[in-house]
Amino acid sequence: MRIAVVGAGRVGVPTAASLGRLGHRVAVTDVDARRIETLQAGTVPFHEPGLEELVREGQASGRLRFTDDLADALDGPEAAFLCVGTPSDPEGAADLSALQSAADAVAMIAAGPLVLAVKSTVPVGTADRLADRLGPATRVVANPEFLREGRAVEDALRPLRVIVGTEDPAARELMRHIYDPLIDDGTPYIETDPRTAEVAKHACNAFLAMKVSYVNALARVCELAGADVETVTAAMAADDRIGAAYLEAGLGFGGYCLPKDLRAFERAVAALGYDFGLLREVDRVNDEAVDAAFARIESALDGVSGKRVALLGLAFKPGTDNVTTSPALALARRLASAGATVSGFDPQAGANAKAEVPEVDLAGDPYAALERADCAVLCTEWEEFRELDPARMRDVMALPVVVDGRNALDGDALTRAGFRYMRMGAAP
Ligand code: UGA
């Protein structure tokens, strides 16, 4: 089938490349002509493991191409996937202006009837409203994405589920045709109405956020009670009704999706008349995690003013160069405004972090970041930080203090090397 993908970002590119791999002919377009030029040269302008290879494979096969001309992308396809950003507005609701203008442009330019699949995360009711706005020639389908950054290729090629929301039988048929190879492979394929598909997407991200906040609230409890959150979560995870996923205590959740989707979901259901206060609490508890790490550092150093604190990891999680709402940057800002000198290293996100928080003294490797530091803080659990040599860390640092903001380091090895090692959710 011929498909257009509108939006060449962290959702659009993996979506397009995977549709190419499934055998479709895909044209990707974006309003950012430079981004398209970069992609045409086979370069992905952000860090996503395996994506560049998949893009180049698609280009070489002739099934994947990039164009800065929407009319060119829309020349002939039966479906267009909308993969544009839906950021937060000042009240925390989803700002749908980019989505609406992309949808308007597609509907205006498309030569014939078209299925418009909305991949972007949107509040419930958006597909219905778009359908009213665009008229009957454009059949709007809610088809939310479930791509984790750092694992987007895997999630696009082997999704945990595909959910397709439409009440139009022809659109349902066409979407099934697009996803046929995945359905044949046994991917759970859920057909429903658009509103249910939209709620399902927000429900998943809000639930993941809720798990993280639940464990971080437990971490605060354990710190006060002299208990150990790692053992508490091990006991919880042994029960497969609970499971182990998203129960890692730490600095909290960040990224482009979880924080904004949590708020957008709360706002969307408030507009419908439901007060989902639980979601507001999840947000509040998430902020406490950075406060708790800051308090740890402050008490370990007897105040942070004039001290040098080294942040290991700046991305919102490992496997990405994205620093959007990264807890590491929240901590960096907090430390800098309290008078600390903040150094930092991240294997992928250094430049993005520096652009956001210029106060961070960016280092080229972890040991350089640790040079003369009074305290090291693990903010993002990149594998390479687990392999740091405690003796070498001790040699370069001014004081042997480690705050493990992701409970991912070998505390025994650090303690043996003479460090004062503190992790989240345990008495200091
Ligand atoms: C999230 C969802 O996991 C995807 O399913 C969804 O498709 C995507 O948002 C989206 O809506 O596009 P992502 O933003 O890549 O994906 O982030 P996650 O991997 O879910 O991690 C979110 C945050 O939670 C990270 O900051 C991570 O460090 C934190 N986290 C996760 C914890 O603090 N503890 C945990 O146990 C798990």
Side-chain angles (χ1 to χ4, degrees):
M1 278 186 54
R2 291 181 64 177
I3 297 170
V5 170
V6 181
R10 292 178 189 267
V11 172
V13 179
T15 298
S18 65
L19 289 169
R21 169 67 79 77
L22 296 185
H24 303 299
R25 292 167 60 82
V26 187
V28 187
T29 188
D30 197 289
V31 288
D32 183 344
R34 271 188 50 199
R35 175 169 282 250
I36 291 296
E37 208 175 297
T38 307
L39 286 158
Q40 281 168 339
T43 302
V44 173
F46 48 87
H47 178 73
E48 187 58 60
L51 185 55
E52 204 155 88
E53 290 80 346
L54 194 64
V55 163
R56 290 184 181 183
E57 176 198 299
Q59 288 173 309
S61 71
R63 288 196 298 271
L64 179 66
R65 66 186 182 93
F66 297 91
T67 171
D68 62 7
D69 180 2
L70 180 62
D72 174 25
L74 290 173
D75 185 17
E78 293 132 282
F81 282 70
L82 275 191
C83 301
V84 300
T86 52
S88 291
D89 74 9
E91 272 74 52
D95 174 353
L96 299 177
S97 51
L99 185 93
Q100 274 159 358
S101 55
D104 289 348
V106 168
M108 203 170 75
I109 290 174
L114 192 73
V115 165
L116 186 66
V118 180
K119 276 269 163 217
S120 311
T121 303
V122 293
V124 57
T126 301
D128 286 347
R129 282 190 286 276
L130 276 182
D132 288 345
R133 184 182 169 104
L134 302 177
T138 311
R139 283 168 301 189
V140 182
V141 174
N143 176 216
E145 56 90 10
F146 293 96
L147 306 176
R148 282 165 290 189
E149 281 181 33
R151 295 173 73 166
V153 168
E154 186 188 329
D155 285 345
L157 293 175
R158 283 174 295 280
L160 299 174
R161 80 306 236 168
V162 172
I163 181 161
V164 170
T166 174
E167 280 148 338
D168 180 310
R172 192 177 306 129
E173 191 57 36
L174 185 132
M175 294 301 288
R176 207 179 294 157
H177 193 47
I178 291 175
Y179 287 117
D180 246 348
L182 295 179
I183 300 170
D184 284 350
D185 277 354
T187 303
Y189 189 76
I190 302 163
E191 292 180 320
T192 184
D193 62 80
R195 297 163 303 282
T196 305
E198 289 163 341
V199 171
K201 169 59 199 262
H202 266 158
C204 288
N205 274 4
F207 190 79
L208 295 173
M210 184 180 74
K211 286 189 89 176
V212 176
S213 277
Y214 188 82
V215 73
N216 283 333
L218 289 178
R220 306 290 82 77
V221 170
C222 289
E223 285 158 8
L224 291 168
D228 174 15
V229 80
E230 292 300 311
T231 311
V232 171
T233 53
M236 291 169 70
D239 184 334
D240 61 16
R241 292 173 304 170
I242 299 173
Y246 284 77
L247 282 187
E248 280 162 31
L251 293 179
F253 58 81
Y256 183 70
C257 301
L258 258 51
K260 107 178 147 58
D261 292 350
L262 180 71
R263 289 175 201 146
F265 192 26
E266 192 273 338
R267 291 290 79 206
V269 301
L272 294 173
Y274 183 71
D275 179 18
F276 208 155
L278 176 61
L279 301 184
R280 289 195 297 280
E281 267 304 285
V282 169
D283 206 2
R284 189 190 64 74
V285 169
N286 194 45
D287 290 341
E288 281 178 358
V290 168
D291 297 345
F294 179 81
R296 276 274 154 108
I297 302 163
E298 207 176 27
S299 89
L301 300 181
D302 202 14
V304 296
S305 179
K307 307 287 168 52
R308 190 172 178 87
V309 180
L311 304 184
L312 298 175
L314 300 162
F316 82 92
K317 67 171 187 179
T320 178
D321 58 356
N322 195 344
V323 297
T324 309
T325 65
S326 171
L329 296 196
L331 184 60
R333 285 193 191 94
R334 192 79 194 270
L335 288 162
S337 65
T341 302
V342 183
S343 59
F345 169 76
D346 190 284
Q348 294 292 339
N352 290 342
K354 182 81 182 165
E356 289 283 318
V357 188
E359 296 94 316
V360 174
D361 189 356
L362 204 59
D365 70 76
Y367 295 106
L370 293 169
E371 196 85 42
R372 291 175 289 111
D374 298 299
C375 175
V377 187
L378 181 79
C379 294
T380 317
E381 66 278 30
W382 289 96
E383 200 51 43
E384 69 173 272
F385 296 141
R386 293 185 228 262
E387 283 148 26
L388 290 174
D389 173 12
R392 196 171 157 199
M393 289 172 69
R394 176 80 189 80
D395 280 350
V396 298
M397 288 177 67
L399 288 178
V401 179
V402 169
V403 173
D404 188 346
R406 294 290 179 182
N407 291 4
L409 297 174
D410 183 344
D412 290 341
L414 286 161
T415 307
R416 277 197 306 275
F419 276 93
R420 176 166 179 213
Y421 171 78
M422 284 161 283
R423 58 194 169 81
M424 310 297 280

